Amino acid sequence: MFRWGRAFAVWLLVMVVEFVHGTARWIFLRPYVGDFRSGQIGVFTGTPLILLVVYFCEPWLRARNSGERLGIGLFWVALTLAFEFGFGHYVIHRSWESLGAEYNLLHGGLMPIGLAIFGFSPWMLSKLRRAREEATA
């Protein structure tokens, strides 16, 4: 079975990358397009960053099968939701409504899409890696 510590370490690395990404968005983009639109754009700019981190870290996770890879992704989604809502509400004092708006697809919130991609990324990227290896073999 994969090691939870390794999965947690990769999640922390993704959070650091996303923290830097979010800070840059907050400073450079938000003043021009607003908070909500900045978050929407952030899904499209942050997702490739997440995929790059996971692509390079996925072999290090040592997951042996698709079930373990999907388990890692589910673990990451749970940690991310806890962090997003905990940090967002208790540290930067955003309202629950403001945080929830980013997850409301019916009103333009795109976070569920980014979170789903993040959750499936260990599985998807291991499939991609295997397909590339088979194509070059």
Side-chain angles (χ1 to χ4, degrees):
M1 188 161 144
F2 65 91
R3 306 219 175 12
W4 288 103
R6 288 175 184 254
F8 186 73
V10 173
W11 177 80
L12 281 176
L13 178 59
V14 168
M15 290 302 105
V16 167
V17 169
E18 277 300 299
F19 186 80
V20 171
H21 172 253
T23 301
R25 245 186 27 250
W26 184 264
I27 293 168
F28 299 110
L29 185 60
R30 187 188 61 82
Y32 298 102
V33 300
D35 192 31
F36 188 73
R37 179 76 62 202
S38 172
Q40 288 177 316
I41 293 168
V43 171
F44 294 102
T45 57
T47 299
L49 296 173
I50 290 169
L51 291 173
L52 275 172
V53 171
V54 175
Y55 181 80
F56 288 109
C57 292
E58 190 271 329
W60 183 72
L61 292 169
R62 296 185 183 163
R64 290 181 280 188
N65 55 50
S66 293
E68 288 185 1
R69 288 179 187 90
L70 291 170
I72 290 169
L74 183 60
F75 178 58
W76 288 346
V77 167
L79 288 172
T80 302
L81 286 170
F83 177 77
E84 287 267 330
F85 284 91
F87 182 83
H89 184 73
Y90 295 109
V91 177
I92 62 173
H93 307 292
R94 290 185 60 194
S95 70
W96 294 117
E97 293 80 17
S98 170
L99 292 165
E102 294 180 353
Y103 289 85
N104 188 339
L105 285 170
L106 298 176
H107 291 109
L110 300 177
M111 284 297 290
I113 295 169
L115 205 53
I117 292 170
F118 184 33
F120 283 105
S121 65
W123 175 78
M124 290 186 309
L125 294 171
S126 74
K127 297 276 187 202
L128 175 66
R129 184 182 309 280
R130 246 180 305 187
R132 288 187 63 197
E133 288 169 358
E134 290 172 4
T136 59

